[in-house]
Every structure is written in structure tokens, then in C-alpha cells.
Amino acid sequence: MEHKAPYNTRQSREVADALRAHPGQHMTAAELCEAFARQGRPMGRATVYRQLEKLVAAGLVTKYTVDGTTGACYAYTGPSDAPCEESCYHCKCERCGALIHLHCHEVEHLRRHMLDHHGFALDPRRTVFYGLCENCRAAQKG
């Protein structure tokens, strides 16, 4: 059976380009819709979600889902055979719900330690640290 390349629509290219234009950043579908609207090229939320899921299935975009209360966010990661530039971990504030994207060499040391000494391979795209963000800790003190 012949394998066809995925159908490449204008919307798919626009969503991929929007994510690619923000390397190392994660965006929600709502943020993408707002960005398109600001640029004068509105795109419906259902269309954005559909294109994101196609890009995830194609291995070009990674979907990050932290928990059942926070909406998914997406990042352009390129083809699955492309080397990952840098691992991204996540911190989730248990008070305000903020999702902080963490690029930290110290956490990379922990990842290597877990693998070398415990035989456990952390998945940086799915590892989440829970606690309180800086703003919520400051509010708690005040």
C-alpha cells in the first residue's frame, strides 16, 4: 500500500509557523487564536485545535498536558528524528495554576543521576514539579 504525505493546508502551515517563530516557548490554542486575530488573520479555535492535533500526530509539535485542570500547551519541536535542542521541564504552581517552563542544567544533572544510579529515564517533556511560584510565595509572606 502506498503511503501518502500528510495533507499540508494553509492553516496547518500557519499554526506550525506561529509555533516555530517562538522557539523554546509553549502556546495554548487560545493564545494562537489571539495571535492570529492581532495579525488580522483570525482562525477559529476548532481549526487551531484540529491543526495542532495533526501537527502532533506528524511529530512536528509536542503537546504538553500537565493535569486535568490546565489546558494543553504546544511547542514546535520539529521532526521526531531531529535532535532536541534543550530539555524543558515544567513547574506548576499549586495556588494560582501558573505553568512555568524550566530550562535548567541542574535539573539535567538530576535526570542523568536518575538514569545512571536508579536506571530510570525521566521524560523531560512530561516531568512536572509542583509547588508555589514566586508571586504566591511572596503573597503568602505578606
Side-chain angles (χ1 to χ4, degrees):
M1 176 176 245
E2 184 180 325
H3 292 283
K4 292 184 179 181
Y7 187 64
N8 193 6
T9 65
R10 176 185 58 82
Q11 292 95 345
S12 181
R13 285 189 305 273
E14 287 180 357
V15 170
D17 289 345
L19 289 171
R20 194 180 301 118
H22 298 90
Q25 292 183 357
H26 303 68
M27 299 180 77
T28 65
E31 289 170 334
L32 285 165
C33 288
E34 291 168 10
F36 290 132
R38 280 193 307 273
Q39 296 168 3
R41 354 176 243 145
M43 188 181 301
R45 192 171 295 212
T47 300
V48 169
Y49 274 113
R50 190 169 44 256
Q51 299 310 319
L52 285 167
E53 291 306 322
K54 288 179 181 179
L55 291 165
V56 168
L60 298 174
V61 168
T62 299
K63 179 179 182 177
Y64 298 91
T65 306
V66 175
D67 56 32
T69 61
T70 305
C73 54
Y74 302 83
Y76 184 85
T77 50
S80 58
D81 58 346
C84 234
E85 286 181 19
E86 185 178 357
S87 296
C88 179
Y89 298 87
H90 300 89
C91 298
K92 170 83 174 185
C93 181
E94 294 176 299
R95 177 164 292 148
C96 72
L99 183 64
I100 301 161
H101 307 287
L102 178 67
H103 298 276
C104 177
H105 295 292
E106 293 301 320
V107 180
E108 276 298 298
H109 292 294
L110 173 62
R111 183 191 64 78
R112 283 194 299 277
H113 170 82
M114 293 295 291
L115 184 61
D116 295 344
H117 296 278
H118 304 284
F120 189 82
L122 291 174
D123 180 352
R125 295 179 181 181
R126 296 180 44 95
T127 301
V128 181
F129 297 98
Y130 292 88
L132 294 177
C133 70
E134 184 176 10
N135 291 338
C136 288
R137 284 187 307 106
Q140 193 174 33
K141 290 178 184 177

